[in-house]
């Protein structure tokens, strides 16, 4: 019995040790489980936080991209408006270059943030303000140009009307001048042709005559210029030849030259003046003679006379 008692005592001691050991292990396991659970909760919280932060960043980035795209659209529209101005100006050209540079910067911008985008928006606003100012100036210039065009048209009409009046006045003056010139022409009346003998007596037979005398009266004319006048007489014989001397003298008439039978210089003083011009010859034939009188480049009168 003593041996059995002695043999049992160690087993009881081992069981007690195992019990305490298992208790410690269980406590450790529970501690680990708690730590693991806490870590799992922390990890889940971190995951949720990371997800929310990442999602918020993505939303913010998308919003920034939307803002960036909006700024790019505004710049593109602004560039089109600058191009449509069609106005030569160094400042506008510089602003247009600046706008194109901003578009290029936005195209390759990778690090988006609100401060940079706000700076871009500010520059776009400045460009738009400048453009509006130039648009107002251009509108003002266009209105002024339209006003000037209207005034120019009005002036042109006035000038055209004045020119028309001047042309009409010039035409009237020319007509009046022509009338005066026509009115200043000397006219001859009562033109006759008389055959004379060698003694200066009228003869009834022209064949016996040695001289032909042309008698006429110069009309009084207040418009004519007084003074000496050279008068030319052309006598055409019945056979159609101009009676003339061997020298066949001529005078200027309408750009050409006419031969004449005889001439005489008279002193005209705007009053009726009786004139006689003599042509000396022989061998005159009976028939109808034509007499024409010229002076100052004009024909003063003409007649036909039958000589027997």
């Amino acid at each position: 019995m003593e041996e059995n008692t002695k043999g049992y005592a160690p087993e009881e001691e081992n069981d007690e040790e195992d019990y305490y050991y298992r208790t410690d292990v269980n406590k450790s396991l529970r501690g680990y489980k708690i730590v693991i659970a806490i870590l799992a909760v922390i990890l889940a919280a971190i995951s949720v936080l990371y997800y929310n932060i990442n999602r918020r960043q993505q939303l913010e980035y998308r919003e920034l991209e939307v803002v960036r795209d909006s700024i790019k659209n505004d710049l593109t529209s602004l560039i089109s408006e600058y191009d449509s101005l069609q106005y030569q100006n160094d400042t506008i050209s510089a602003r247009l270059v600046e706008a194109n540079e901003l578009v290029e910067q936005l195209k390759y911008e990778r690090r988006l943030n609100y401060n940079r985008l706000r700076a871009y928006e500010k520059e776009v606003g400045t460009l738009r303000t400048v453009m509006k100012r130039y648009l107002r100036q251009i509108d003002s210039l266009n209105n002024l140009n339209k006003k000037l065009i209207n005034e120019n048209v009005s002036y042109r009409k006035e000038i055209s009307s004045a020119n028309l009046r001047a042309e009409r006045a010039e035409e009237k003056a020319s007509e009046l001048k022509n009338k005066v010139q026509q009115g200043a022409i000397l006219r001859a009346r009562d033109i006759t042709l008389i055959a004379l003998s060698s003694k200066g007596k009228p003869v009834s037979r022209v064949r016996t005559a040695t001289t032909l005398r042309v008698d006429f009266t110069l009309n009084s004319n207040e418009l004519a210029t007084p003074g000496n006048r050279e008068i030319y007489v052309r006598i055409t014989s019945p056979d159609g030849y101009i009676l003339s001397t061997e020298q066949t003298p001529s005078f200027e008439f309408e750009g050409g030259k006419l031969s004449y039978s005889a001439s005489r210089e008279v002193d005209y003083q705007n009053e009726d003046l009786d004139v006689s011009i003599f042509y000396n010859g022989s061998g005159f034939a009976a028939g109808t003679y034509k007499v024409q009188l010229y002076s100052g480049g004009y024909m003063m009168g003409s007649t036909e006379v039958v000589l027997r």
Side-chain angles (χ1 to χ4, degrees):
M1 292 296 290
E2 291 179 359
E3 290 179 359
N4 291 336
T5 303
K6 292 180 180 178
Y8 181 74
E11 290 181 359
E12 290 180 355
E13 290 178 357
N14 289 336
D15 291 338
E16 186 177 353
E17 288 178 0
D18 289 339
Y19 173 76
Y20 287 117
Y21 176 75
R22 286 194 297 272
T23 301
D24 292 338
V25 169
N26 290 332
K27 288 181 179 180
S28 298
L29 289 175
R30 282 197 298 272
Y32 286 134
K33 289 181 180 179
I34 292 171
V35 170
I36 290 172
I38 292 172
L39 291 176
V41 171
I42 292 173
L43 181 61
I46 290 173
S47 298
V48 172
L49 180 63
Y50 175 78
Y51 174 78
N52 291 333
I53 291 173
N54 185 50
R55 183 179 179 184
R56 185 166 58 252
Q57 287 179 344
Q58 289 181 354
L59 291 175
E60 289 178 354
Y61 190 82
R62 289 176 183 174
E63 290 178 358
L64 292 176
E65 285 184 334
V66 171
V67 174
R68 182 189 63 182
D69 293 340
S70 177
I71 294 173
K72 285 175 62 178
N73 293 333
D74 287 344
L75 278 171
T76 303
S77 175
L78 189 62
I79 291 171
S80 299
E81 292 176 2
Y82 267 114
D83 286 335
S84 66
L85 289 180
Q86 297 181 351
Y87 189 80
Q88 297 297 327
N89 184 281
D90 293 338
T91 304
I92 292 180
S93 299
R95 295 295 182 181
L96 187 58
V97 171
E98 184 178 349
N100 282 307
E101 290 177 352
L102 285 176
V103 171
E104 291 298 319
Q105 291 177 14
L106 283 172
K107 186 185 298 184
Y108 299 104
E109 184 68 58
R110 292 293 181 265
R111 300 177 62 184
L112 297 178
N113 59 69
Y114 280 109
N115 291 333
R116 294 181 66 84
L117 290 178
R118 291 295 176 265
Y120 283 127
E121 287 182 339
K122 184 177 180 181
E123 292 189 44
V124 173
T126 301
L127 291 173
R128 189 169 297 280
T129 300
V130 172
M131 189 198 69
K132 288 181 179 179
R133 184 172 70 249
Y134 278 108
L135 284 175
R136 287 194 296 268
Q137 292 178 358
I138 291 172
D139 288 339
S140 178
L141 290 175
N142 286 336
N143 292 332
L144 180 60
N145 187 42
K146 290 179 181 178
K147 181 179 179 181
L148 291 175
I149 290 175
N150 293 332
E151 291 180 355
N152 188 30
V153 171
S154 178
Y155 289 147
R156 285 179 179 272
K157 289 181 179 178
E158 292 179 5
I159 292 173
S160 177
S161 178
N163 288 336
L164 182 60
R165 290 195 299 269
E167 289 176 0
R168 290 178 178 174
E170 186 177 352
E171 290 177 358
K172 290 182 179 180
S174 179
E175 291 177 0
L176 182 60
K177 182 179 179 181
N178 291 332
K179 290 179 179 180
V180 171
Q181 290 177 346
Q182 292 292 327
I185 296 174
L186 291 180
R187 300 298 179 184
R189 71 176 191 274
D190 302 333
I191 303 172
T192 61
L193 179 64
I194 300 172
L196 302 176
S197 65
S198 58
K199 294 182 179 180
K201 300 293 184 179
V203 296
S204 58
R205 298 294 179 181
V206 69
R207 294 179 180 179
T208 62
T210 57
T211 303
L212 295 178
R213 187 183 75 197
V214 178
D215 294 334
F216 58 93
T217 299
L218 291 178
N219 294 333
S220 62
N221 189 341
E222 294 181 355
L223 297 176
T225 302
N228 294 332
R229 297 292 185 94
E230 189 73 22
I231 300 175
Y232 303 93
V233 60
R234 280 165 55 93
I235 303 174
T236 304
S237 64
D239 54 7
Y241 292 99
I242 301 297
L243 301 180
S244 184
T245 62
E246 293 180 359
Q247 292 78 13
T248 315
S250 62
F251 63 93
E252 298 288 337
F253 181 75
E254 295 183 353
K257 289 189 176 184
L258 292 179
S259 60
Y260 63 91
S261 305
S263 66
R264 178 182 174 182
E265 186 178 9
V266 299
D267 183 15
Y268 179 75
Q269 296 299 323
N270 303 99
E271 296 178 350
D272 283 356
L273 180 63
D274 294 330
V275 182
S276 295
I277 300 178
F278 298 87
Y279 171 75
N280 296 320
S282 61
F284 298 115
T288 302
Y289 287 79
K290 183 176 181 180
V291 179
Q292 295 171 310
L293 297 171
Y294 295 85
S295 181
Y298 296 95
M299 178 187 288
M300 296 190 301
S302 66
T303 190
E304 292 183 354
V305 179
V306 176
L307 297 179
R308 297 181 183 277

